[in-house]
PDB file of all heavy atoms in Angstrom:
ATOM      1  N   THR E   2       0.215  -6.221 -12.839  1.00 42.00           N
ATOM      2  CA  THR E   2      -0.189  -5.026 -12.178  1.00 42.00           C
ATOM      3  C   THR E   2      -0.862  -4.139 -13.214  1.00 42.00           C
ATOM      4  O   THR E   2      -0.393  -4.014 -14.302  1.00 42.00           O
ATOM      5  CB  THR E   2       1.032  -4.271 -11.594  1.00 42.00           C
ATOM      6  OG1 THR E   2       1.751  -5.177 -10.777  1.00 42.00           O
ATOM      7  CG2 THR E   2       0.606  -3.052 -10.862  1.00 42.00           C
ATOM      8  N   SER E   3      -1.922  -3.524 -12.837  1.00 43.00           N
ATOM      9  CA  SER E   3      -2.597  -2.595 -13.794  1.00 43.00           C
ATOM     10  C   SER E   3      -1.805  -1.311 -13.879  1.00 43.00           C
ATOM     11  O   SER E   3      -1.124  -0.883 -12.960  1.00 43.00           O
ATOM     12  CB  SER E   3      -4.021  -2.265 -13.364  1.00 43.00           C
ATOM     13  OG  SER E   3      -3.993  -1.420 -12.249  1.00 43.00           O
ATOM     14  N   LEU E   4      -1.978  -0.644 -15.015  1.00 42.00           N
ATOM     15  CA  LEU E   4      -1.253   0.631 -15.223  1.00 42.00           C
ATOM     16  C   LEU E   4      -1.723   1.652 -14.221  1.00 42.00           C
ATOM     17  O   LEU E   4      -0.922   2.372 -13.631  1.00 42.00           O
ATOM     18  CB  LEU E   4      -1.549   1.126 -16.711  1.00 42.00           C
ATOM     19  CG  LEU E   4      -0.930   2.489 -16.998  1.00 42.00           C
ATOM     20  CD1 LEU E   4       0.588   2.411 -16.913  1.00 42.00           C
ATOM     21  CD2 LEU E   4      -1.343   2.842 -18.432  1.00 42.00           C
ATOM     22  N   LYS E   5      -3.005   1.683 -13.881  1.00 44.00           N
ATOM     23  CA  LYS E   5      -3.496   2.692 -12.933  1.00 44.00           C
ATOM     24  C   LYS E   5      -2.892   2.406 -11.567  1.00 44.00           C
ATOM     25  O   LYS E   5      -2.521   3.381 -10.920  1.00 44.00           O
ATOM     26  CB  LYS E   5      -5.072   2.574 -12.896  1.00 44.00           C
ATOM     27  CG  LYS E   5      -5.704   3.575 -12.023  1.00 44.00           C
ATOM     28  CD  LYS E   5      -5.548   4.984 -12.577  1.00 44.00           C
ATOM     29  CE  LYS E   5      -6.259   6.028 -11.772  1.00 44.00           C
ATOM     30  NZ  LYS E   5      -5.987   7.326 -12.167  1.00 44.00           N
ATOM     31  N   THR E   6      -2.759   1.189 -11.163  1.00 42.00           N
ATOM     32  CA  THR E   6      -2.155   0.900  -9.880  1.00 42.00           C
ATOM     33  C   THR E   6      -0.700   1.336  -9.869  1.00 42.00           C
ATOM     34  O   THR E   6      -0.229   1.917  -8.909  1.00 42.00           O
ATOM     35  CB  THR E   6      -2.245  -0.662  -9.615  1.00 42.00           C
ATOM     36  OG1 THR E   6      -3.545  -1.009  -9.636  1.00 42.00           O
ATOM     37  CG2 THR E   6      -1.575  -0.952  -8.271  1.00 42.00           C
ATOM     38  N   GLU E   7       0.032   1.135 -10.987  1.00 40.00           N
ATOM     39  CA  GLU E   7       1.395   1.605 -11.038  1.00 40.00           C
ATOM     40  C   GLU E   7       1.474   3.153 -10.941  1.00 40.00           C
ATOM     41  O   GLU E   7       2.250   3.663 -10.240  1.00 40.00           O
ATOM     42  CB  GLU E   7       2.021   1.235 -12.445  1.00 40.00           C
ATOM     43  CG  GLU E   7       2.035  -0.278 -12.605  1.00 40.00           C
ATOM     44  CD  GLU E   7       3.434  -0.816 -12.735  1.00 40.00           C
ATOM     45  OE1 GLU E   7       4.366  -0.032 -12.830  1.00 40.00           O
ATOM     46  OE2 GLU E   7       3.644  -2.017 -12.703  1.00 40.00           O
ATOM     47  N   GLN E   8       0.571   3.826 -11.671  1.00 41.00           N
ATOM     48  CA  GLN E   8       0.605   5.287 -11.551  1.00 41.00           C
ATOM     49  C   GLN E   8       0.224   5.762 -10.193  1.00 41.00           C
ATOM     50  O   GLN E   8       0.862   6.727  -9.716  1.00 41.00           O
ATOM     51  CB  GLN E   8      -0.382   5.837 -12.608  1.00 41.00           C
ATOM     52  CG  GLN E   8       0.013   5.664 -14.031  1.00 41.00           C
ATOM     53  CD  GLN E   8      -1.001   6.120 -14.998  1.00 41.00           C
ATOM     54  OE1 GLN E   8      -2.168   6.407 -14.655  1.00 41.00           O
ATOM     55  NE2 GLN E   8      -0.633   6.194 -16.275  1.00 41.00           N
ATOM     56  N   GLU E   9      -0.760   5.142  -9.552  1.00 45.00           N
ATOM     57  CA  GLU E   9      -1.127   5.576  -8.189  1.00 45.00           C
ATOM     58  C   GLU E   9      -0.010   5.403  -7.206  1.00 45.00           C
ATOM     59  O   GLU E   9       0.122   6.171  -6.244  1.00 45.00           O
ATOM     60  CB  GLU E   9      -2.376   4.813  -7.735  1.00 45.00           C
ATOM     61  CG  GLU E   9      -3.627   5.287  -8.457  1.00 45.00           C
ATOM     62  CD  GLU E   9      -4.870   4.369  -8.240  1.00 45.00           C
ATOM     63  OE1 GLU E   9      -4.635   3.289  -7.668  1.00 45.00           O
ATOM     64  OE2 GLU E   9      -5.875   4.714  -8.698  1.00 45.00           O
ATOM     65  N   SER E  10       0.818   4.332  -7.400  1.00 44.00           N
ATOM     66  CA  SER E  10       1.872   4.084  -6.468  1.00 44.00           C
ATOM     67  C   SER E  10       2.998   5.076  -6.543  1.00 44.00           C
ATOM     68  O   SER E  10       3.780   5.137  -5.595  1.00 44.00           O
ATOM     69  CB  SER E  10       2.445   2.682  -6.709  1.00 44.00           C
ATOM     70  OG  SER E  10       3.183   2.660  -7.923  1.00 44.00           O
ATOM     71  N   LEU E  11       3.020   5.910  -7.559  1.00 43.00           N
ATOM     72  CA  LEU E  11       4.036   6.879  -7.720  1.00 43.00           C
ATOM     73  C   LEU E  11       3.685   8.224  -7.041  1.00 43.00           C
ATOM     74  O   LEU E  11       4.597   9.058  -6.791  1.00 43.00           O
ATOM     75  CB  LEU E  11       4.262   7.188  -9.184  1.00 43.00           C
ATOM     76  CG  LEU E  11       4.776   5.970  -9.968  1.00 43.00           C
ATOM     77  CD1 LEU E  11       4.882   6.306 -11.439  1.00 43.00           C
ATOM     78  CD2 LEU E  11       6.009   5.449  -9.427  1.00 43.00           C
ATOM     79  N   GLY E  12       2.493   8.493  -6.704  1.00 48.00           N
ATOM     80  CA  GLY E  12       2.140   9.727  -6.080  1.00 48.00           C
ATOM     81  C   GLY E  12       2.460   9.809  -4.623  1.00 48.00           C
ATOM     82  O   GLY E  12       2.729   8.799  -3.942  1.00 48.00           O
ATOM     83  N   GLY E  13       2.510  10.997  -4.079  1.00 47.00           N
ATOM     84  CA  GLY E  13       2.679  11.124  -2.671  1.00 47.00           C
ATOM     85  C   GLY E  13       4.099  11.268  -2.139  1.00 47.00           C
ATOM     86  O   GLY E  13       4.300  11.661  -1.038  1.00 47.00           O
ATOM     87  N   THR E  14       5.101  10.883  -2.888  1.00 48.00           N
ATOM     88  CA  THR E  14       6.461  10.940  -2.444  1.00 48.00           C
ATOM     89  C   THR E  14       7.148  12.194  -3.000  1.00 48.00           C
ATOM     90  O   THR E  14       7.208  12.360  -4.254  1.00 48.00           O
ATOM     91  CB  THR E  14       7.248   9.739  -2.848  1.00 48.00           C
ATOM     92  OG1 THR E  14       6.549   8.544  -2.434  1.00 48.00           O
ATOM     93  CG2 THR E  14       8.644   9.695  -2.332  1.00 48.00           C
TER      94      THR E  14
END
Side-chain angles (χ1 to χ4, degrees):
T2 307
S3 74
L4 178 61
K5 186 67 176 169
T6 302
E7 297 243 352
Q8 289 174 351
E9 288 170 352
S10 71
L11 298 177
T14 304

